[in-house]
């Protein structure tokens, strides 16, 4: 029993020990571990990525909470070396350092820190803190002059700040008033001091600032002599300027950060006003809240480079720009140019360039551009007489190529310089300035081995180099190699070789060039034919598959409708027969209706039109009767006119005026609707077929803002293979296709643009049916070489701000659905349902006579004024019913 009690006591003691130990770990060790993790995590992150801005901020906050002042100072210094600090971070740092200097008398360190702070951003609060801190050292030798110097710099930097500049001015005046009292014993000093205060008032009142009326009232009260007329004039002028700026200031106060759009509007206003000082302070205010916007920094830098041109201001702004946005190559490039423009030493420029390489650009091409900018700088400082500078330039070129191959390709998977622009520039410098054509040839050999030998423009660039600095032997050699290797524009290269031999070569050289060019072009044409055949087969197969899919869908739809129609037709059969018999009773007398001559009784629901419409209806009916008389027409002497506006007044007279220059006109047949409105097309028949070709030349002539289409008048039933579309649908080597043209470009302007590249046969602007341009055009040259040359020279050119694309014309194969005369799949299977002007009636009764309802074929389609066969009883040998014309339908309706 006692053994059990002792065992229980031992077990209880052990449990109490375990609980106590756990509580100790919970309240002592765990918080310590948490603190260690918190303090170790930011330094660990920064060791991985020193440019993690947020991690720097987090570390500074943690160190400040724990009171680690020494480590806090180091953390801030490290961050300030990498990034510009915000106004809040600077003010916290400065206030901490000011508290530390109360114990140690060294104020110079704080002054140095203030000087760093005012360089990052122009902040009125930092300047005010700087001036107030300097007042504390006023008792030291030269202290008053130092305070005045800081205040003068402050009002120069931020005195124009519309909302915060007033506090700096007031602090400056209060300082001068404060030192006015001890100076009353000496009248001369007193007078000078009063003049300083007067000057401060006058300077402040000349600047548009918020609440400047209170400053003017204070000056009136302070000045014993009153306010002079000059001060009043300046004050009123500043008030007017303030009224102009107030809307922009109010929009800034109402907007949420970063207020980029509001600042942009403010900047546009100040740039228009043209005051450099006000433009600069507005830019500085903008950058303080939008420091990570590269475009705004670039705009600020451009303004300083072109307008102010003050060295210290320009270079400091460029430096701040690249510190805020180090990933933007354009800012580094403009910084290098600004350093060279303002005479910076070579060591400074080189250091900036090395920093740019380590900035971490996001594109491979950025590295190519920054290297080009630095190499341009090195080339400009070489006099090509000093071997030291020349060797430095060559070393930089070699280093750039290694850098592209090793660093850039490893990071981006591409060199960023596929055309080897850096090597091209190096080769030209060697040939032009160093007279070392052999080195230039070696560089071009290297360029061609990097996949550029298939491009004609690369060979022509090399040929131009040899032409300028080499000899005819190497020129011929380069062109022969170009003929064998070029795959994009071989015709142009062959033409250049033949032209060269005409000028430089002998008969043997000419024969060899002709042989090589013919062999090469034959091989190229064979390859192109194979590719075109392959593409045509692919397109044909795709069209066949599409046709099959459409046919299957059409068959399924027709089967469904046939099943529905069979069930519904049985129910309505008796009603249709009764209606048909009633419709054909007493057909001896006729009356005029909306749809023509039907009979004695009008259809149910018919309402006669207004009296003025009868004449137009009669003309339309007479026109239809004439159209149904083929003996009056001769298609061989006629043309079909279409795409005319429906509102064309007196179309017959208008067409006669247009076409009478082509030859004697027999008749003009404009087509009208049942209500007498012009339908936008018609026919012109001449006395002789000789006039037809002349009339076809008027195709696409603009008539009242729309292109008029003129085509031959052909019966598509007799000539089903006739194609109205007159343009090619295959490769046209002598014609170029231009896209991206401005809509304002005219045919004359385009012809003027292209005529320098060869003889032009035709220029055609592509338009919509309404006449509005599409921005596309075709230019037909005299031969293929001129077309190829135009593509090389014009592709990528800018025309009125639009970048155009130019290529050899190779129109896509026309779809079967787009061919003239083609009809929709299944059109021969399903008759088209025709409803009245109000749609189908509520009764859903078919009002079509049985004689027409039994027809399974639709009426023949009229193409370009030709009607279908008119005898409904005539059938083909295969037993298929021929299409019916409008007159056939009328005869069926009118028969008894």
């Amino acid at each position: 029993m006692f053994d059990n009690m002792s065992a229980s006591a031992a077990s209880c003691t052990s449990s109490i020990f375990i609980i106590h130990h756990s509580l100790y770990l919970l309240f002592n060790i765990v918080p310590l571990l948490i603190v260690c993790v918190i303090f170790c995590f930011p330094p660990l992150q920064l060791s991985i990525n020193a440019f993690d801005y947020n991690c720097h901020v987090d570390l500074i906050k943690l160190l400040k909470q724990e009171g680690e002042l020494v480590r806090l100072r180091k953390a801030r210094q490290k961050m300030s070396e990498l990034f510009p600090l915000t106004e809040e971070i600077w003010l916290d740092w400065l206030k901490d350092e000011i508290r530390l200097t109360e114990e140690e008398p060294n104020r110079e360190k704080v002054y140095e820190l203030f000087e760093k702070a005012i360089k990052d951003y122009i902040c009125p609060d930092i300047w005010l803190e700087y001036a107030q801190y300097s007042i504390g050292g006023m008792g030291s030798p030269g202290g008053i002059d130092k305070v005045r110097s800081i205040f003068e710099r402050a009002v120069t930097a931020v005195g124009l700040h519309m909302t915060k500049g007033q506090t700096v001015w007031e602090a400056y005046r209060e300082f001068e008033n404060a030192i006015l009292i001890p100076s009353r014993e000496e009248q001369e000093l007193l007078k000078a001091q009063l003049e300083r205060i007067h000057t401060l008032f006058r300077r402040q009142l000349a600047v548009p600032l918020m609440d400047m009326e209170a400053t003017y009232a204070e000056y009136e009260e302070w000045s014993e002599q009153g306010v002079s007329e000059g001060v009043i004039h300046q004050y009123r002028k500043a008030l007017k300027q303030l009224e102009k700026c107030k809307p922009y200031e109010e929009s800034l106060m109402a907007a949420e950060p970063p207020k980029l759009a509001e600042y942009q509007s403010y900047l546009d206003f100040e740039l228009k006003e043209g005051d450099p000082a006000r433009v600069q302070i507005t830019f500085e205010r903008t950058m303080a809240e939008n420091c990570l916007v590269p475009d705004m920094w670039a705009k600020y830098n451009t303004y300083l480079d072109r307008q102010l041109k003050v060295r210290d201001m320009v270079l400091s702004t460029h430096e701040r720009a690249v510190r805020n946005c180090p990933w933007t190559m354009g800012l580094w490039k403009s910084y290098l140019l600004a350093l060279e423009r303002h005479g910076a030493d070579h060591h400074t420029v080189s250091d900036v360039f090395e920093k740019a390489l380590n900035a971490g650009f996001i594109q491979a091409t950025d590295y190519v551009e920054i290297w080009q900018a630095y190499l341009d700088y090195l080339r400009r400082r070489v006099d090509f007489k000093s071997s030291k500078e020349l060797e430095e330039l060559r070393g930089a070129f070699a280093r750039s190529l290694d850098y592209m191959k090793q660093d850039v390709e490893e990071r981006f998977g591409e060199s960023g310089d596929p055309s080897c622009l850096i090597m091209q520039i190096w080769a030209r410098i060697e040939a032009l300035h160093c007279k070392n054509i052999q080195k230039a040839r070696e560089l071009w050999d290297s360029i061609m081995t990097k996949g550029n030998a298939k491009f004609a423009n690369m060979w022509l660039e090399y040929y131009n180099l040899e032409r300028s600095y080499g000899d005819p032997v190497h020129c011929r050699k380069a062109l022969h190699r170009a003929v064998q290797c070029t795959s994009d524009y071989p015709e142009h290269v062959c033409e250049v070789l033949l032209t060269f031999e005409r000028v430089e070569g002998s008969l043997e050289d000419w024969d060899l060039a002709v042989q090589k060019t013919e062999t090469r072009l034959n091989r190229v044409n064979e390859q192109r034919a194979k590719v075109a055949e392959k593409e045509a087969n692919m397109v044909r197969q795709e069209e066949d598959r599409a046709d099959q899919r459409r046919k299957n869908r059409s068959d399924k739809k027709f089967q469904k409708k046939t099943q529905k129609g069979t069930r519904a037709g049985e129910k309505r059969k008796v009603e249709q027969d009764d209606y048909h018999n009633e419709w054909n009773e007493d057909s001896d007398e006729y009356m005029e209706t909306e749809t023509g001559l039907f009979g004695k009784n009008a259809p149910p629901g018919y309402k006669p039109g207004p009296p003025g419409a009868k004449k137009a209806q009669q003309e339309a009916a007479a026109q239809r009767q004439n159209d149904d008389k083929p003996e009056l027409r001769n298609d061989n002497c006629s043309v079909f006119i279409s795409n005319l506006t429906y509102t064309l007044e007196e179309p017959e007279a208008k067409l006669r005026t247009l076409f009478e220059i082509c030859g004697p006109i027999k008749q003009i047949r404009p087509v009208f609707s049942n209500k007498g409105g012009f339908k936008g097309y018609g026919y012109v028949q001449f006395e002789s077929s000789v006039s037809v070709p002349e009339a076809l030349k008027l195709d696409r002539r603009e008539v009242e803002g729309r292109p008029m289409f003129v085509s031959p008048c052909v019966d598509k039933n007799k000539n089903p293979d006739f194609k109205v579309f007159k343009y090619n649908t295959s490769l046209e080597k002598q014609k170029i296709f231009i896209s991206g043209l401005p809509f304002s470009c005219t045919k004359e302007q385009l012809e003027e643009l292209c005529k320098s590249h060869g003889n032009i046969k035709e220029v055609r602007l592509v338009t919509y049916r309404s006449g509005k341009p599409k921005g596309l055009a075709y230019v037909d040259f005299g031969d293929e070489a001129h077309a190829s040359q135009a593509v090389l020279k014009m592709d990528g050119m800018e025309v009125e701000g639009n970048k155009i694309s130019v290529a050899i014309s190779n129109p896509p194969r026309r779809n079967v659905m787009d061919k003239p005369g083609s009809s929709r799949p299944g059109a021969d299977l399903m008759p088209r349902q025709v409803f009245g002007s109000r749609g189908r009636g509520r009764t859903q009764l078919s009002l079509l006579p049985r004689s027409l309802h039994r027809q399974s074929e639709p009426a023949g389609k009229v193409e370009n004024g030709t009607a279908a066969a008119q005898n409904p009883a005539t059938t083909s040998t295969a037993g298929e019913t021929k299409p019916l014309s409008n007159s056939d339908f009328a005869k069926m309706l009118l028969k008894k």
Side-chain angles (χ1 to χ4, degrees):
M1 179 178 179
F2 288 104
D3 293 338
N4 293 335
M5 291 178 63
S6 61
S8 299
S11 176
C12 184
T13 304
S14 176
S15 299
I16 293 172
F17 174 77
I18 292 173
I19 294 172
H20 183 271
H21 184 67
S22 300
L23 292 174
Y24 175 79
L25 291 175
L26 180 63
F27 291 102
N28 294 280
I29 304 301
V30 174
L32 182 61
L33 290 175
I34 294 174
V35 172
C36 291
V37 170
I38 291 174
F39 276 97
C40 291
F41 181 73
L44 180 61
Q45 284 293 103
L46 292 177
S47 64
I48 298 173
N49 181 14
F51 290 91
D52 192 335
Y53 184 90
N54 294 328
C55 199
H56 281 281
V57 174
D58 294 338
L59 178 60
I60 290 173
K61 289 181 180 178
L62 289 173
L63 293 175
K64 187 173 182 180
Q65 289 176 3
E66 295 300 321
E68 295 283 343
L69 298 181
V70 177
R71 294 181 61 190
L72 178 61
R73 179 183 293 173
K74 291 181 179 180
R76 284 167 169 167
Q77 289 175 350
K78 183 64 177 177
M79 185 178 181
S80 66
E81 292 173 2
L82 299 176
F83 304 101
L85 304 184
T86 62
E87 182 179 0
E88 293 77 12
I89 296 177
W90 271 120
L91 288 174
D92 289 341
W93 189 1
L94 291 168
K95 291 176 181 178
D96 291 342
E97 294 294 337
I98 289 172
R99 285 196 296 268
L100 292 176
T101 54
E102 292 177 356
E103 301 175 359
E104 52 183 271
N106 190 2
R107 301 174 61 89
E108 292 300 323
K109 292 183 179 180
V110 181
Y111 284 131
E112 293 176 3
L113 196 60
F114 269 113
E115 290 295 330
K116 289 182 180 179
I118 61 178
K119 289 180 180 178
D120 279 354
Y121 302 107
I122 295 184
C123 302
D125 293 339
I126 294 179
W127 274 108
L128 189 60
E129 190 73 25
Y130 189 11
Q132 291 176 349
Y133 177 75
S134 65
I135 293 175
M138 188 173 56
S140 60
I144 294 179
D145 293 336
K146 186 176 183 65
V147 175
R148 282 180 178 152
S149 174
I150 294 173
F151 267 117
E152 282 295 330
R153 292 171 59 194
V155 296
T156 302
V158 297
L160 294 178
H161 197 293
M162 189 77 72
T163 56
K164 296 184 178 181
Q166 185 178 7
T167 58
V168 180
W169 286 103
E170 291 176 353
Y172 195 1
R173 290 204 318 272
E174 289 177 3
F175 164 72
E176 294 293 350
N177 275 317
I179 63 174
L180 179 65
I181 299 175
S183 303
R184 290 188 181 275
E185 298 177 357
E186 301 181 14
Q187 295 297 324
E188 294 295 332
L189 291 176
L190 178 61
K191 186 176 180 180
Q193 188 68 12
L194 290 173
E195 185 58 31
R196 284 195 187 96
I197 298 174
H198 273 289
T199 303
L200 284 176
F201 269 117
R202 288 194 292 267
R203 290 170 61 188
Q204 182 180 354
L205 290 174
V207 177
L209 298 171
M210 289 295 184
D211 199 23
M212 61 184 306
E213 295 87 351
T215 305
Y216 180 77
E218 182 183 352
Y219 183 41
E220 281 185 321
E221 183 180 353
W222 184 86
S223 177
E224 297 178 355
Q225 294 85 11
V227 183
S228 63
E229 290 296 328
V231 175
I232 295 174
H233 176 72
Q234 293 294 329
Y235 168 68
R236 290 176 179 173
K237 184 178 179 181
L239 274 179
K240 291 181 180 179
Q241 184 66 28
L242 177 63
E243 291 300 321
K244 293 181 181 179
C245 298
K246 264 188 177 180
Y248 300 99
E249 292 291 343
E250 291 172 354
S251 65
L252 286 174
M253 288 187 287
E256 295 291 332
K259 312 174 185 178
L260 183 59
E262 289 76 15
Y263 275 120
Q264 184 63 60
S265 301
Y266 205 168
L267 278 171
D268 294 340
F269 165 74
E270 292 294 355
L271 288 170
K272 187 177 180 180
E273 291 291 312
D275 187 348
R278 295 207 55 79
V279 173
Q280 185 205 358
I281 191 63
T282 308
F283 264 119
E284 289 293 344
R285 293 176 62 184
T286 305
M287 302 320 305
E289 296 194 52
N290 298 274
C291 58
L292 299 180
V293 182
D295 292 342
M296 191 58 68
W297 279 112
K299 188 174 182 179
Y300 188 16
N301 290 334
T302 302
Y303 176 77
L304 294 178
D305 288 335
R306 297 178 181 178
Q307 301 295 329
L308 295 186
K309 302 179 182 180
V310 180
R311 183 182 188 278
D312 294 338
M313 185 184 299
V314 169
L315 296 183
S316 65
T317 305
H318 277 284
E319 182 183 6
R320 288 188 291 145
V322 297
R323 290 185 68 199
N324 279 278
C325 305
W327 62 87
T328 308
M329 182 278 305
L331 298 178
W332 288 101
K333 185 177 178 180
S334 61
Y335 190 12
L336 291 175
L337 291 173
L339 288 170
E340 182 183 4
R341 194 178 294 118
H342 291 280
D345 59 274
H346 177 59
H347 179 71
T348 302
V349 178
S350 299
D351 287 346
V352 171
F353 171 69
E354 295 298 334
K355 291 179 181 178
L357 289 181
N358 297 322
F361 299 141
I362 59 178
Q363 294 180 351
T365 54
D366 291 343
Y367 288 95
V368 178
E369 290 194 40
I370 199 65
W371 267 109
Q372 285 180 331
Y374 183 60
L375 292 170
D376 293 344
Y377 157 74
L378 292 179
R379 197 272 307 163
R380 285 191 287 265
R381 65 187 298 269
V382 176
D383 60 2
F384 296 99
K385 296 179 182 178
S386 172
S387 59
K388 178 182 178 182
E389 295 175 347
L390 180 57
E391 289 304 320
E392 183 181 2
L393 176 61
R394 285 173 172 164
F397 270 111
R399 182 192 167 198
S400 68
L401 298 180
D402 293 338
Y403 188 89
M404 293 296 162
K405 184 176 181 180
Q406 297 176 4
D407 297 57
V408 178
E409 284 190 10
E410 289 181 2
R411 180 180 174 187
F412 296 98
E414 58 171 335
S415 65
D417 190 14
S419 300
C420 301
L421 295 177
I422 293 178
M423 295 181 71
Q424 290 187 43
I425 295 171
W426 188 4
R428 190 162 289 275
I429 289 174
E430 291 286 352
L432 174 62
H433 296 290
C434 304
K435 312 302 179 185
N436 189 354
I437 188 64
Q438 187 59 36
K439 178 65 176 177
R441 289 167 183 157
E442 293 175 1
L443 290 170
W444 268 103
D445 287 340
S446 179
I447 292 173
M448 292 304 181
T449 58
K450 294 183 181 297
N452 293 301
K454 60 184 177 181
F455 300 117
N457 62 327
M458 300 298 289
W459 283 108
L460 295 179
E461 188 70 26
Y462 177 36
Y463 164 72
N464 290 332
L465 181 73
E466 288 285 359
R467 193 74 170 155
S468 301
Y469 311 108
D471 53 69
V473 175
H474 285 86
C475 288
R476 182 176 292 108
K477 183 179 178 181
L479 289 177
H480 278 280
R481 291 174 62 191
V483 169
Q484 296 299 323
C485 300
T486 301
S487 60
D488 53 352
Y489 298 105
E491 296 89 354
H492 186 57
V493 174
C494 293
E495 183 67 24
V496 174
L497 174 59
L498 295 177
T499 303
F500 172 77
E501 295 298 355
R502 283 192 179 97
V503 178
E504 299 282 348
S506 62
L507 179 60
E508 291 78 9
D509 297 329
W510 170 260
D511 292 338
L512 181 60
V514 170
Q515 180 183 354
K516 285 196 172 185
T517 54
E518 288 181 352
T519 303
R520 175 60 177 164
L521 291 179
N522 289 335
R523 186 163 63 249
V524 168
N525 290 332
E526 291 176 0
Q527 294 173 354
R528 289 175 177 172
K530 291 180 180 178
V531 173
E533 183 179 0
K534 184 178 179 181
E535 293 179 352
N537 290 333
M538 294 176 62
V539 171
R540 194 175 299 108
Q541 293 174 3
E542 181 62 29
E543 289 179 352
D544 293 341
R545 286 193 292 267
D547 290 341
Q548 187 61 37
R549 288 193 296 268
R550 284 194 294 267
K551 185 177 180 181
N552 294 337
R553 289 195 298 266
S554 177
D555 291 343
K556 291 180 180 178
K557 189 181 297 184
F558 176 71
Q559 291 175 1
K560 291 180 180 179
K561 289 192 174 182
T562 304
Q563 294 173 359
K564 293 180 180 179
T566 302
R567 291 192 298 267
E570 293 176 354
K571 297 179 181 179
R572 295 196 300 265
K573 184 176 180 180
V574 178
E575 296 178 4
Q576 292 176 356
D577 291 343
D578 294 341
Y579 177 78
H580 178 70
N581 294 332
E582 181 182 354
W583 181 258
N584 287 319
E585 290 180 357
D586 301 331
S587 58
D588 294 336
E589 298 181 4
Y590 301 97
M591 65 176 291
E592 186 175 328
T593 65
E594 181 178 345
T595 56
L597 302 174
F598 284 102
K600 180 177 179 181
N601 299 320
Y606 169 73
K607 295 181 180 180
K614 290 186 178 181
K615 184 177 180 181
Q617 293 174 2
Q618 292 173 356
E619 293 178 356
Q623 181 64 42
R624 285 193 299 273
Q625 291 176 1
N626 289 336
D627 290 345
D628 292 336
K629 297 178 181 179
E631 65 274 6
L632 299 179
R633 303 199 309 267
N634 185 353
D635 291 344
N636 295 328
C637 300
S638 303
V639 292
F640 177 62
I641 315 299
S642 60
N643 201 47
L644 297 172
T645 177
Y646 292 168
T647 59
L648 186 66
E649 296 182 0
E650 298 184 359
E652 183 174 352
K654 185 69 174 180
L655 292 175
R656 185 174 299 277
T657 304
L658 288 172
F659 287 93
E660 63 185 0
I661 60 175
C662 303
I665 297 176
K666 184 176 182 180
Q667 64 171 329
I668 296 177
R669 302 193 303 278
V671 179
F672 297 91
S673 65
N674 293 332
K675 295 184 179 181
F678 181 50
K679 300 183 70 173
Y681 65 91
Y683 308 89
V684 176
Q685 183 174 338
F686 296 95
E687 296 287 349
S688 173
S689 60
V690 180
S691 304
V692 173
E694 296 297 324
L696 293 176
K697 294 180 181 180
L698 299 180
D699 185 32
R700 311 281 171 165
R701 169 75 66 85
E702 185 174 321
V703 177
E704 295 192 4
R706 292 173 63 93
M708 174 182 65
F709 298 162
V710 183
S711 58
C713 190
V714 178
D715 189 347
K716 295 302 295 293
N717 294 322
K718 297 178 181 179
N719 299 280
D721 296 330
F722 176 77
K723 296 181 179 180
V724 178
F725 190 75
K726 65 180 182 180
Y727 302 114
N728 241 332
T729 57
S730 59
L731 182 66
E732 302 170 285
K733 301 177 183 178
Q734 81 287 352
K735 186 182 294 185
I736 64 173
F737 173 68
I738 306 175
S739 60
L741 288 168
F743 294 154
S744 60
C745 183
T746 63
K747 183 176 179 181
E748 291 74 16
Q749 291 175 339
L750 187 58
E751 186 173 358
E752 183 69 23
L753 188 67
C754 299
K755 70 179 183 180
S756 61
H757 305 296
N759 182 29
I760 297 177
K761 294 171 60 178
E762 182 185 6
V763 176
R764 180 167 68 91
L765 293 175
V766 184
T767 63
Y768 293 99
R769 295 179 66 90
S770 63
K772 295 182 179 180
K774 292 186 177 182
L776 310 175
Y778 291 91
V779 180
D780 193 359
F781 285 91
D783 53 39
E784 300 174 10
H786 292 161
S788 300
Q789 184 178 4
V791 171
L792 285 173
K793 300 294 184 182
M794 295 177 61
D795 189 30
M797 177 187 296
E798 285 198 5
V799 178
E800 297 182 9
N802 288 28
K803 187 175 181 180
I804 64 173
S805 298
V806 184
I808 295 296
S809 174
N810 188 15
R813 182 182 177 90
R814 296 195 78 212
N815 196 320
V816 178
M817 297 293 292
D818 298 332
K819 292 180 181 179
S822 65
S823 59
R824 294 179 301 168
D828 56 340
L829 301 177
M830 290 185 297
R832 181 181 175 185
Q833 294 185 1
V834 181
F835 301 133
S837 60
R838 296 187 181 183
R840 190 163 185 173
R842 293 185 179 181
T843 60
Q844 303 295 310
L845 296 178
S846 175
L847 301 182
L848 192 66
R850 281 184 302 171
S851 59
L852 301 183
H853 187 72
R854 291 169 183 167
Q855 300 292 334
S856 62
E857 297 290 340
K861 185 178 180 181
V862 179
E863 288 287 346
N864 291 354
T866 59
Q870 294 187 357
N871 187 2
T874 304
T875 58
S876 63
T877 58
E880 296 179 357
T881 304
K882 288 188 177 181
L884 302 178
S885 67
N886 293 335
S887 60
D888 295 332
F889 281 107
K891 290 177 180 179
M892 289 182 178
L893 292 171
L894 296 176
K895 70 180 181 179
K896 295 183 180 179

